[in-house]
Amino acid sequence: MASTFSYVAVDASGKKIKDTVDGTSSQAVAAQLRAKGLTPLSVEDGMAKGLNAEIKIPGLSDKISLKDIAVMSRQLATMINSGLSLLRALIILVDQTENKALASILGEVRNDVEVGRSLSTALAKHPKVFPPLMINMVKAGEVGGFLDDTLVALAENFEDEVKLRAKVKSAMSYPIVVLVIAIIAATAMLLFIIPVFAGMFESMGAELPLPTQIMITLSDLLKVGIIPIIVLIGIFMFWWSRHKNDRSIREKLDPLKLKAPVFGPLAKKIALARFSRNLAAMLKSGVPILQALSIVGEASGNVVVEKATLDLQDAVRKGHSITSNMAGSAVFPPMVAQMMAVGEDTGALDTMLEKVADFYDQEVEATTEQLTSLIEPLMIMFVGIVVGGMVITMYLPMFSIYDQIQ
């Protein structure tokens, strides 16, 4: 069934063209554009784009996400692979990048390339935007003369990482939303409903059971402390946003993440998927293994995996194989060590690492689905216990009042 697709493409002279065209799929539309001598930069289903449109919030929408970097890498690879010069491709990229903050930085990168600097050197001037993984892979692609292939590998790597993060967010969003709703409901009851019951019980002179007394005390305390609590939460959130990535904080929290019940195995699988995928991409792009190991550990997102990766780096530096220290490691499962050992023996370590990454991607997807199905009834039960328990404690004195009336 044909659908209307919106596309962005460039012609032979490098002029950018935005238009719509009817087609059966994005691949068919891309082939149709190439047949006309155009280089497609993006092809999107008009219906899907409308349904999945993102809300732009001033001040927040300008944040450069990994998805922006993935799209940029894909578009840059497409243009270079189509025969455009690097400088011309960067000029077009600056013009068509929707994220204004990224477009501004790409403008600076373009200026550096224009005066004779290499792309990797230009990217390295913005370490907060372009990760070390990207900078080192681009440098290896420039030295080896396969920059377009490297950019494609980067785009695929970043796209896989975006999908991985989306899976984790989808698993975590439901319990977080339910928890917030439960907190708001409990707070509203303590502030507005329980004081009404407390006044009624006091006027009747009813003897209050212990659970009801505790609930009324909590209500009185919350009425006095609600503003200080909100201020303290705001201060903590501000401090956490500034210091959550501090080394001292991560060294204490990251080991706990891996040991946490239910979510610990998921965190480990995510870290191993990142480690395998990033190391495979860097080795495939020609980055020396010692340099690659120094980067992928940090990119795994967990200090425990990072330290284990540094141990592997030390072993390689001493002349041992990369898998020599993996056998007794508590971080790398035997399956990872065995597959990497086979990769070393056959000279296809990057291919084996890609298979390991695919395996853990599937494991993360399966685990998140299981967690979602498990957490949903548990969270419903939690909300029921919290709200229902508060209602029951308020109705307990009614029985003693009824006995007095009798």
Side-chain angles (χ1 to χ4, degrees):
M1 183 178 177
S3 180
T4 301
F5 290 81
S6 60
Y7 70 85
V8 179
V10 292
D11 58 18
S13 64
K15 181 181 178 182
K16 186 174 70 172
I17 301 171
K18 292 183 178 180
D19 205 348
T20 58
V21 65
D22 292 335
T24 56
S25 67
S26 59
Q27 292 81 2
V29 170
Q32 185 180 343
L33 294 174
R34 292 191 188 96
K36 294 179 179 180
L38 301 175
T39 301
L41 299 179
S42 65
V43 179
E44 294 182 331
D45 189 328
M47 180 66 72
K49 184 178 180 181
L51 292 174
N52 298 319
E54 295 182 358
I55 300 174
K56 300 294 183 181
I57 303 175
L60 294 180
S61 300
D62 290 339
K63 183 180 178 181
I64 300 173
S65 66
L66 187 63
K67 184 178 180 180
D68 295 322
I69 302 298
V71 172
M72 182 212 79
S73 302
R74 176 69 68 182
Q75 293 176 343
L76 187 58
T78 302
M79 287 187 283
I80 292 176
N81 196 36
S82 300
L84 293 177
S85 67
L86 176 60
L87 183 58
R88 183 60 185 166
L90 286 170
I91 291 172
I92 297 171
L93 201 57
V94 170
D95 183 46
Q96 66 98 36
T97 299
E98 294 183 1
N99 188 303
K100 301 303 180 184
L102 180 57
S104 175
I105 290 172
L106 286 174
E108 296 179 26
V109 172
R110 176 201 60 197
N111 294 337
D112 287 335
V113 172
E114 193 171 11
V115 297
R117 293 188 178 91
S118 66
L119 178 60
S120 58
T121 302
L123 295 176
K125 294 176 67 176
H126 308 279
K128 292 184 178 180
V129 177
F130 306 110
L133 176 78
M134 182 177 188
I135 296 168
N136 283 274
M137 285 180 64
V138 167
K139 185 176 182 180
E142 288 174 330
V143 173
F146 44 83
L147 181 59
D148 52 344
D149 293 335
T150 300
L151 288 169
V152 169
L154 269 172
E156 292 174 349
N157 181 281
F158 290 150
E159 287 163 0
D160 288 340
E161 178 66 19
V162 169
K163 291 177 184 177
L164 182 66
R165 293 184 181 184
K167 291 171 187 174
V168 176
K169 286 182 180 178
S170 66
M172 294 300 298
S173 58
Y174 181 82
I176 290 174
V177 169
V178 173
L179 180 62
V180 170
I181 291 174
I183 292 173
I184 292 174
T187 303
M189 290 186 69
L190 286 170
L191 288 176
F192 303 110
I193 297 177
I194 290 179
V196 175
F197 278 88
M200 182 178 66
F201 295 149
E202 185 178 356
S203 64
M204 293 180 177
E207 183 179 350
L208 301 180
L210 181 61
T212 306
Q213 293 178 18
I214 293 174
M215 201 60 61
I216 292 175
T217 302
L218 287 175
S219 176
D220 293 337
L221 291 174
L222 189 61
K223 283 191 290 185
V224 176
I226 183 66
I227 294 178
I229 289 173
I230 292 174
V231 171
L232 288 175
I233 291 174
I235 292 173
F236 174 77
M237 291 178 66
F238 177 78
W239 175 87
W240 180 252
S241 65
R242 294 293 186 90
H243 298 282
K244 62 182 179 181
N245 292 322
D246 289 358
R247 186 74 182 186
S248 58
I249 300 294
R250 291 185 59 204
E251 285 184 347
K252 294 177 181 178
L253 289 182
D254 284 0
L256 297 177
K257 290 179 183 179
L258 298 183
K259 296 177 182 178
V262 182
F263 291 100
L266 176 61
K268 186 173 182 178
K269 290 173 184 177
I270 292 170
L272 289 173
R274 286 173 176 162
F275 166 84
S276 305
R277 186 186 306 109
N278 292 335
L279 186 56
M282 297 194 78
L283 294 178
K284 197 171 184 179
S285 298
V287 178
I289 190 168
L290 284 174
Q291 187 176 352
L293 286 170
S294 67
I295 294 168
V296 296
E298 183 178 355
S300 68
N302 192 284
V303 169
V304 177
V305 178
E306 182 180 346
K307 290 179 178 179
T309 305
L310 292 178
D311 292 338
L312 297 181
Q313 186 184 24
D314 290 337
V316 173
R317 188 179 288 112
K318 294 174 182 177
H320 303 295
S321 68
I322 190 174
T323 56
S324 60
N325 282 8
M326 276 190 169
S329 173
V331 175
F332 300 104
M335 185 273 290
V336 176
Q338 291 169 8
M339 291 191 69
M340 288 183 66
V342 172
E344 279 189 316
D345 294 338
T346 59
L349 182 57
D350 54 345
T351 303
M352 283 298 179
L353 284 166
E354 287 177 347
K355 293 182 182 298
V356 172
D358 291 340
F359 170 78
Y360 278 110
D361 280 343
Q362 294 171 2
E363 284 287 297
V364 169
E365 185 173 2
T367 304
T368 51
E369 290 176 357
Q370 292 171 2
L371 282 176
T372 302
S373 60
L374 174 66
I375 288 173
E376 186 171 350
L378 290 178
M379 293 305 296
I380 293 174
M381 187 185 302
F382 170 75
V383 173
I385 291 173
V386 171
V387 177
M390 295 177 70
V391 171
I392 290 172
T393 57
M394 287 298 100
Y395 276 93
L396 284 177
M398 296 292 186
F399 298 105
S400 61
I401 293 174
Y402 179 76
D403 290 339
Q404 289 178 8
I405 295 175
Q406 292 290 93

